[in-house]
């Protein structure tokens, strides 16, 4: 009682084969708060204790809300599925969104050289200034990927038919594309010859296990990983405007609802 906690949005049974193996995000009854049950647009919310984590002392409620889903997802994909190592070059697609910002900051925390890709020069400027990306590229420009050839891991959360093939083509031999999103329509063409000739891998993932969630929150707590910037705040009474903003393309990161005194 009295602890500051954040909901990780992941619900799991705790007793299926996947849960017993520690892969709670692959639970047979995996559900998401705000998708399969009502979410956080309310003054009071009840969730299982296993679906919340203590907020590090150096993180406020707004930062915790913004990182609760995206940080564990990015950490799981980059550190484990993508096997990012210090010195690797990582291309982060959609780098101005919530998942993209997490990807940039997690890749940097893992010691990678980060190339951030987004669809506007103004967003790329913010990415350089606020997130410290080493390089940036605007993927609305023709030939945007032509100069990128030695990428170890592509962090992909768009799945756009206009961008996917070019992003995959930046990978060096034995490179890996890790994906966790499909808001760019989700159906893409795949150059299979390039896939097997370069020994490439494509891996997907949903959420993160409880163990990984605790690991990434510990990294934020001890300063190895920076919390996310929060630029878009709305009161609960402005929830309609918040959803309208979230549906637009002018955001940088997450929209956060303030409930009461917080």
């Amino acid at each position: 009682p009295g602890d500051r906690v954040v909901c990780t949005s992941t619900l799991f049974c705790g007793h299926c084969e996947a849960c017993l193996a520690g892969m709670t995000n692959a639970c047979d009854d995996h559900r998401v708060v705000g998708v399969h049950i009502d979410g956080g647009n309310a003054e009071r919310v009840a969730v299982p204790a296993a679906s919340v984590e203590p907020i590090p002392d150096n993180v406020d409620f707004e930062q915790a809300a913004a990182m609760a889903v995206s940080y564990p997802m990015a950490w799981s994909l980059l550190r484990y599925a993508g096997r990012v190592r210090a010195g690797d070059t990582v291309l982060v697609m959609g780098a101005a969104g919530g998942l993209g910002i997490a990807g940039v900051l997690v890749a940097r925390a893992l010691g990678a050289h980060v190339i951030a890709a987004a669809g506007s020069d103004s967003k790329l400027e913010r990415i350089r200034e606020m997130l410290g990306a080493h390089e940036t590229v605007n993927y609305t420009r023709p030939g945007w990927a032509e100069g990128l050839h030695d990428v170890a891991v592509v962090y992909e959360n768009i799945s756009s038919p206009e961008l996917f093939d070019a992003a995959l083509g930046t990978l060096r031999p034995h490179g890996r594309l890790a994906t966790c999103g499909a808001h760019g329509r989700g159906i893409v063409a795949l150059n299979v010859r390039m896939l097997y000739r370069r020994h490439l891998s494509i891996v997907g993932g949903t959420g993160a296990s409880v163990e990984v969630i605790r690991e990434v929150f510990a990294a934020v707590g001890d300063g190895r990983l920076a919390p996310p910037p929060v630029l878009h705040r709305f009161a609960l009474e402005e929830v309609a405007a918040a959803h309208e903003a979230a549906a637009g393309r002018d955001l940088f990161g997450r929209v956060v609802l303030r409930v009461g005194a917080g």
Side-chain angles (χ1 to χ4, degrees):
D3 282 352
R4 298 188 319 134
V5 298
V6 62
C7 177
T8 62
S9 291
T10 297
L11 302 175
F12 53 91
C13 72
H15 52 73
C16 69
E17 183 176 351
C19 285
L20 293 176
M23 298 184 296
T24 52
N25 55 318
C27 173
D28 292 345
D29 190 33
H30 179 260
R31 292 174 296 154
V32 178
V33 177
V35 178
H36 303 101
I37 66 169
D38 288 342
N41 294 358
E43 293 176 344
R44 295 179 183 273
V45 177
V47 293
S51 298
V52 301
E53 285 297 319
I55 299 174
D57 292 340
N58 58 330
V59 175
D60 62 34
F61 277 107
E62 295 177 359
Q63 292 171 317
M67 66 182 264
V69 175
S70 57
Y71 269 45
M73 182 75 264
W75 190 269
S76 182
L77 276 184
L78 288 170
R79 181 165 189 181
Y80 294 107
R83 305 192 306 277
V84 171
R85 299 291 181 263
D88 282 346
T89 295
V90 174
L91 171 64
V92 177
M93 301 294 289
L99 284 168
I101 287 173
V104 171
L105 292 175
V106 167
R108 285 196 60 211
L110 295 174
H113 178 89
V114 180
I115 304 172
S120 84
D121 290 339
S122 61
K123 289 181 179 179
L124 292 173
E125 183 177 357
R126 276 184 169 176
I127 289 167
R128 289 190 296 270
E129 293 178 353
M130 302 181 71
L131 309 182
H134 301 96
E135 299 181 55
T136 56
V137 59
N138 187 327
Y139 50 53
T140 65
R141 295 178 178 171
W144 66 272
E146 290 177 359
L148 308 177
H149 302 294
D150 193 36
V151 173
V153 177
V154 172
Y155 176 82
E156 220 287 328
N157 63 96
I158 306 174
S159 299
S160 162
E162 292 80 22
L163 299 174
F164 189 89
D165 188 61
L168 185 69
T170 67
L171 287 172
R172 69 190 186 192
H174 303 281
R176 300 164 294 283
L177 184 146
T179 182
C180 61
H183 64 264
R185 299 197 296 280
I187 305 297
V188 300
L190 179 62
N191 186 335
V192 176
R193 287 189 179 89
M194 177 170 61
L195 189 72
Y196 65 71
R197 285 175 177 173
R198 295 191 192 174
H199 305 275
L200 305 180
S201 301
I202 298 175
V203 61
T206 299
S209 68
V210 170
E211 182 179 356
V212 169
I213 290 170
R214 290 173 179 166
E215 185 179 317
V216 71
F217 272 67
V220 175
D222 64 22
R224 286 177 289 143
L225 174 59
V230 179
L231 305 184
H232 310 282
R233 303 173 177 86
F234 293 83
L236 183 59
E237 295 77 14
E238 302 172 304
V239 64
H243 277 272
E244 183 177 350
R249 297 184 57 84
D250 296 328
L251 292 181
F252 188 79
R254 297 290 192 195
V255 170
V256 171
L257 280 180
R258 286 174 164 170
V259 181

